[in-house]
Amino acid sequence: MSPRTARRRAALLTALFAILWGLISGPPAATAAPHTAAAGTFRNPLNTGPDPFLTTWNGTYYLTTTQGDSIRMWRSSSLGTLLDADPITVWTDTDGSRNQHIWAPEFYRFGNRWYLYYTADDGVDDHHRLYVLESDRDDPAGPYHFKSRLTPPNHAADFAIDPGILEHNGRLYLAYSGINQYQHNGLNIAPMSNPYTVSGNAVAINAAGGCPEVREGPEFLYRNGRTWMTYSTCDTGKPDYQVWMMSLPSGADPLVPGNWTQRSGPVFSRADDHGVYGPGHHAFFRSPDGTEDWIVYHAKTTSVNTYTNRTTRAQKITWNADGSPNLGRPLAMGATQDLPSGDPGAGTYWINDDGRSSGDGSVSYTGTWNSGTGCATQCFWSDDHWSDRAGNTATFSFTGTRIALLSVRDTGNGIAALSIDGGPEQRVDFYGAIRTGENLQYLSPRLPSGRHTLRIRVTGEHNAQSGASFVSVDRAEVYTR
């Protein structure tokens, strides 16, 4: 036997022994993976409101957005089913000095309690002030009780909105947008002695922003001993509403304005080719397994200067070689993304107006419908169907537990009659004073798991403001859990 043959025989015997040992002893212990793969995909929007704040805790996503008259929260085991979640009202107020124009709630866990920060007024915008609630137990969804007003001594009677919390060198700081020597809505930072007490004067931060009028919504990222403050600039109604950034070294005092280093230019701004305008008022959250960083923000599908049509979206961010965050470019509203790492899976799929589907779904039409790609980035897959002929129908057939219909609103749109499984019809007005795409037109009731239909019937009717009676069909999002 040659040495080469002997080595081959020895290798074969070794391999055979390893196989036999594996059969006896079972599979080897799994090695720890750097992250857990996500179980599916999702599409924006996550919510129809603006000014989002989102965090993950104990395997659940918690989201708040501006609602105006109260603070509502949505929670879900998957990012992809937040739009499907039912809201929980976690706060209303009978105090007339602070029960209107309730904006931009954010919530943080300190110790075994949650603190919910927000701004509100008495009906006069310039009377906006900052407040904090405290949870009765260790649960982001409350219940909450009123804790205190947050008042820097040097701005006790001044307009203030958009509270955010900076944690730096073991201390807490209140960051917010309010009156200072630079803007009416300028960035300010004040020290805190605990989560509900401001312990000193606020200092003003002279932040750049590409426009003169607004610096608001301060948020913070932490990595490798550095702190980044991101903030929104320009009026939120403008298509150029955008995000800028400053950084602070480890150990530096955040109350010394000169310690903050300004980054030149926006780090997150409009993407006309994706149909995204005015991306801003954002927050950051980690994937469920803690390996990824994500941004949640609001944006619009129209370049018109308007406060309407601001919807909540999310996407993954990365980190540059120099250690700074890279927020990327805003993705198109209906772009299909992988769920965050460790997300158990949304159980959702889409049906396009042309019949394509990522699941067990289809659509059929009766009567003559127009179709085309004229709506471009305002539509899913850049196409839609539309008709103003009374009696024409579009019927989505799907397997799941709920369906959401998204499509264009426009000045020439009219009223549709929608029904599930041939049941009673619900009238839905597709009119919009400004043309905008991928609007949530309808979210069905929860249904028994199985096969269902959603029928959209053109009524030929429209409201007094509309110039015609068109009904647009674009995308359906189906939920299977």
Side-chain angles (χ1 to χ4, degrees), residues 75-348:
R75 58 186 175 185
S76 173
S77 61
S78 176
L79 191 70
T81 48
L82 275 169
L83 187 65
D84 173 52
D86 295 323
I88 307 162
T89 299
V90 299
W91 184 250
T92 57
D93 206 325
T94 57
D95 187 320
S97 68
R98 58 171 192 255
N99 65 356
Q100 298 186 57
H101 300 156
I102 300 172
W103 296 348
E106 300 191 0
F107 48 101
Y108 302 80
R109 185 174 186 257
F110 299 115
N112 62 353
R113 290 292 180 267
W114 291 81
Y115 294 88
L116 200 159
Y117 302 85
Y118 65 102
T119 182
D121 66 25
D122 58 0
V124 178
D125 178 50
D126 214 42
H127 293 172
H128 266 106
R129 302 293 185 265
L130 306 179
Y131 304 97
V132 59
L133 313 174
E134 183 182 64
S135 67
D136 296 343
R137 57 175 184 255
D138 194 1
D139 187 340
Y144 286 92
H145 59 269
F146 184 81
K147 191 64 175 178
S148 66
R149 180 178 159 191
L150 299 170
T151 309
N154 59 334
H155 289 291
D158 291 339
F159 170 88
I161 61 171
D162 295 356
I165 300 300
L166 165 62
E167 302 178 61
H168 189 72
N169 291 339
R171 295 196 61 185
L172 298 180
Y173 299 85
L174 173 68
Y176 68 96
S177 177
I179 291 174
N180 62 28
Q181 63 265 42
Y182 305 113
Q183 286 95 19
H184 181 276
N185 292 46
L187 293 183
N188 301 282
I189 301 177
M192 302 181 78
S193 56
N194 56 47
Y196 49 85
T197 306
V198 175
S199 57
N201 287 337
V203 299
I205 305 296
N206 187 12
C211 59
E213 68 267 27
V214 169
R215 309 287 183 268
E216 64 186 16
E219 295 295 330
F220 299 94
L221 277 168
Y222 312 93
R223 188 179 173 96
N224 296 333
R226 296 173 65 190
T227 295
W228 287 269
M229 176 171 62
T230 53
Y231 54 94
S232 300
T233 76
C234 305
D235 188 279
T236 190
K238 291 183 176 180
D240 289 318
Y241 192 61
Q242 57 194 244
V243 178
W244 285 55
M245 183 170 71
M246 308 179 82
S247 63
L248 180 73
S250 176
D253 186 350
L255 297 177
V256 176
N259 287 340
W260 291 94
T261 300
Q262 180 74 57
R263 185 196 186 278
S264 177
V267 293
F268 201 62
S269 57
R270 63 187 284 175
D272 295 35
D273 56 330
H274 292 166
V276 180
Y277 303 93
H281 202 110
H282 61 292
F284 301 103
F285 66 97
R286 307 297 301 276
S287 60
D289 67 3
T291 65
E292 297 173 348
D293 293 290
W294 285 66
I295 184 172
V296 60
Y297 62 98
H298 77 229
K300 301 181 293 186
T301 60
T302 175
S303 61
V304 174
N305 188 340
T306 176
Y307 295 106
T308 63
N309 188 238
R310 296 176 295 163
T311 58
T312 290
R313 305 132 186 244
Q315 61 188 71
K316 184 181 173 182
I317 69 171
T318 58
W319 294 86
N320 296 314
D322 66 359
S324 63
N326 185 339
L327 306 190
R329 299 184 70 235
L331 299 174
M333 169 85 95
T336 295
Q337 305 177 60
D338 288 336
L339 286 163
S341 183
D343 191 301
T348 64

